[in-house]
Amino acid sequence: MTELELLRRAAELSRVHSLAGEGAPFGAIVATPDGEIVAEGWNETFAANDPTAHAEVVVIRRAAQALGRFDLSGHVIYASCEPCPMCLGAIFWARLDRVVFANSRDDAARFGFDDAALYEEVARPLDRRRIRCEHVPLDDALAVFGEWARRAGPA
């Protein structure tokens, strides 16, 4: 499939599944660079009662299962909308090569899906965030990182 066809498919997933009441109008696809679909996903926040079940997170989970690995390098994610900060984090952790999206975050904001506050929140120092975030250093927790590094090497 071409990039335009993949984006249209992501938009269609957003339409079909939001009309079905499964979640907000967002769809996503993980594909190979030559356009072969590995997995499809859509927003399932309502259906799953899961605030993290955004289309991009859902499709990353499905693609990782389909490929049998968490590293999705060599693949592209196509989304009906620019990924939110949570989804962008998941995309980076999955090591996807590229993100191609149709609607921008500004387009989404015009329809009530405004992530501006999240982008601002992440940039704030811990002591100035809306939700209280406290750093409490713990040797036992740090030791687990050391054990991991000795056993498996850095991530």
Side-chain angles (χ1 to χ4, degrees), residues 77-133:
I77 188 166
Y78 295 87
S80 63
C81 189
E82 183 175 355
C84 75
M86 176 185 71
C87 293
L88 189 58
I91 289 165
F92 274 90
W93 282 113
R95 298 173 175 92
L96 286 152
D97 287 2
R98 247 176 6 120
V99 180
V100 181
F101 59 89
N103 296 323
S104 71
R105 67 172 111 165
D106 294 329
D107 295 329
R110 290 197 328 259
F111 294 93
F113 301 103
D114 191 351
D115 294 330
L118 290 172
Y119 283 101
E120 292 169 9
E121 196 71 18
V122 169
R124 288 189 181 134
L126 290 177
D127 64 346
R128 297 194 52 223
R129 291 187 179 165
R130 187 174 59 91
I131 296 175
R132 190 171 162 175
C133 296

